[in-house]
Amino acid sequence: MKKILLTAIITSAFSLTAACDYDRELILLLNEINQIIDTVPEAELSGREVQIIRVVDGDTVIVNDQDKEEMIRLLLIDTPESIPPSKEKEYLGESSSDFAKVALNKGDTVTLEIGNPDRDAYGRLLGYIWVDDTNFNQLMIEEGFARVVNISEPNTKYLDEFIRAEEQAKEQKIGIWSVPGYVTENGFDMSAIE
């Protein structure tokens, strides 16, 4: 909202300066811009507080949401399996799960921003978890524990930020990006691990 407001004010400022004394009017307008920005509240996160019950793995968490236990599937990310139902554990699966367990302790209060649609085919809530001002989903990507996946409108709110974080992790060759060929479009290829 602030960005839209600021753009509108700056556009007005440039059209006014053509007809006015440039220096004096520009200074007045910049002062007005600063005053308006200071009075516009920051956008509130559209989420609700939940309490961590336990971390299942790097991309799935169980929370207490309004006195109800809910399984949360973190939107737009996929981590290697640490407790796969029908195959072997994947490289860095336990590490991604351990990282999540350190960041999301049992009993911690976090903010859950629910997706739209809000549930997947398995009945899990889809969402982003915020720890203070940090998007935990994005943090998993930044640390090299997750790849960007399951991109389907309208659940793409943070897609641009996530893609940038993934590109940085790839460039730095950290975590899942440290082994060439391990990350594929279909998941993780254990044959790339020597």
Side-chain angles (χ1 to χ4, degrees):
M1 181 65 181
K2 281 186 180 182
K3 189 183 283 187
I4 294 168
L5 186 59
L6 182 59
T7 303
I9 292 170
I10 289 172
T11 304
S12 298
F14 284 115
S15 40
L16 281 175
T17 56
C20 301
D21 177 26
Y22 179 79
D23 292 336
R24 188 174 66 77
E25 289 298 317
L26 187 57
I27 290 170
L28 290 172
L29 284 170
L30 290 174
N31 286 335
E32 282 182 47
I33 289 169
N34 286 331
Q35 289 174 356
I36 291 169
I37 287 174
D38 289 341
T39 62
V40 175
E42 288 293 328
E44 290 293 318
L45 184 61
S46 60
R48 59 183 180 244
E49 288 189 347
V50 297
Q51 196 171 42
I52 300 293
I53 293 176
R54 76 180 174 92
V55 171
V56 176
D57 59 20
D59 54 30
T60 311
V61 179
I62 297 174
V63 300
N64 179 348
D65 180 23
Q66 302 171 348
D67 294 325
K68 181 180 175 191
E69 191 172 294
E70 288 279 5
M71 185 173 287
I72 311 301
R73 175 63 171 87
L74 301 179
L75 275 168
L76 297 178
I77 70 168
D78 180 37
T79 61
E81 295 294 334
S82 62
I83 46 173
S86 61
K87 58 182 179 177
E88 66 182 314
K89 291 180 182 181
E90 293 174 322
Y91 175 67
L92 293 178
E94 286 185 5
S95 296
S96 69
S97 182
D98 290 345
F99 180 83
K101 288 173 183 173
V102 168
L104 305 172
N105 293 300
K106 180 179 180 177
D108 283 354
T109 298
V110 296
T111 301
L112 172 64
E113 185 177 3
I114 296 174
N116 175 23
D118 62 347
R119 294 199 183 265
D120 67 8
Y122 304 103
R124 300 176 294 188
L125 268 179
L126 299 171
Y128 305 97
I129 288 183
W130 291 84
V131 180
D132 298 319
D133 293 330
T134 301
N135 184 321
F136 179 74
N137 305 41
Q138 183 174 338
L139 181 63
M140 290 297 284
I141 298 167
E142 290 170 351
E143 294 296 324
F145 291 119
R147 66 188 185 107
V148 177
V149 295
N150 301 328
I151 302 164
S152 58
E153 293 289 344
N155 276 330
T156 56
K157 184 172 183 181
Y158 301 105
L159 182 59
D160 292 341
E161 294 93 327
F162 286 15
I163 289 172
R164 281 193 296 275
E166 184 178 81
E167 288 302 318
Q168 281 189 315
K170 282 182 190 178
E171 287 174 18
Q172 295 171 2
K173 295 182 168 104
I174 59 173
I176 60 175
W177 306 105
S178 64
V179 178
Y182 178 55
V183 181
T184 71
E185 287 185 19
N186 300 319
F188 302 97
D189 181 1
M190 286 296 289
S191 69
I193 306 300
E194 297 175 354

